[in-house]
Amino acid sequence: MTQSLVCPETVTRVSSVLNRNSRQFGKKHLFDQDEETCWNSDQGPSQWVTLEFPQCVQISQLQVQFQGGFSSRHGFLEGSLGGEALSKIVDFYPKDSNALQTFSLPDVKVDQLKVTFEDTTDFFGRVVIYHLRVLGEKA
């Protein structure tokens, strides 16, 4: 059964937060299911989110909802299991849209996942994400 794999025990890190204002734009807003909150990165050539799951998971889908004008044209996933080095899983190509976008992933077991957003539509390299979901099964 496919379910959200992010839980309270999942350790999350992000590349940056706009003006270091974690209260208003922090990583916690990626997963809070609130339409009024978002993670807003600071500027830079690429932005990323890492997830360390408390157990091995099998990923199957990635869902992302950007703010139009602050999205990414190219992204990729890297993953690892058991403390190994991250290795590339798949590239994905989001649209510059406000819609929730779903990307099918190869079934891979990981306990660490890194989602990197490159080639941003914002001139300064900022990314705004309202929802980030990793779906699959707990192994």
Side-chain angles (χ1 to χ4, degrees):
M1 182 175 101
T2 300
Q3 60 183 327
S4 175
L5 298 172
V6 177
C7 66
E9 292 79 33
T10 303
V11 177
T12 307
R13 293 183 181 86
V14 293
S15 52
S16 63
V17 175
L18 184 65
N19 300 325
R20 296 186 179 165
N21 187 346
S22 293
R23 179 177 216 162
Q24 188 173 4
F25 301 118
K27 63 187 178 184
K28 65 183 176 222
H29 299 304
L30 287 167
F31 312 107
D32 65 6
Q33 305 298 317
D34 186 344
E35 298 292 329
E36 302 295 319
T37 64
C38 62
W39 168 57
N40 192 333
S41 76
D42 216 333
Q43 57 188 8
S46 70
Q47 304 298 332
W48 51 261
V49 176
T50 61
L51 304 166
E52 293 178 25
F53 300 101
Q55 64 190 41
C56 178
V57 296
Q58 184 166 323
I59 59 173
S60 61
Q61 288 184 337
L62 174 71
Q63 293 182 331
V64 184
Q65 184 176 8
F66 294 99
Q67 177 178 325
F70 294 91
S71 63
S72 166
R73 293 182 191 97
H74 172 239
F76 59 91
L77 259 65
E78 297 172 287
S80 70
L81 185 60
E84 295 177 359
L86 291 170
S87 61
K88 188 180 254 188
I89 297 170
V90 68
D91 290 285
F92 62 98
Y93 299 91
K95 294 183 170 83
D96 185 12
S97 164
N98 295 329
L100 184 66
Q101 301 177 58
T102 301
F103 303 94
S104 293
L105 307 173
D107 288 333
V108 175
K109 291 183 179 177
V110 299
D111 59 15
Q112 185 175 0
L113 194 64
K114 182 175 184 181
V115 186
T116 302
F117 303 99
E118 295 186 321
D119 192 16
T120 60
T121 57
D122 175 58
F123 180 76
F124 296 103
R126 295 170 294 190
V127 173
V128 177
I129 299 178
Y130 285 92
H131 301 293
L132 180 67
R133 297 182 187 119
V134 179
L135 305 175
E137 297 178 12
K138 295 179 180 174

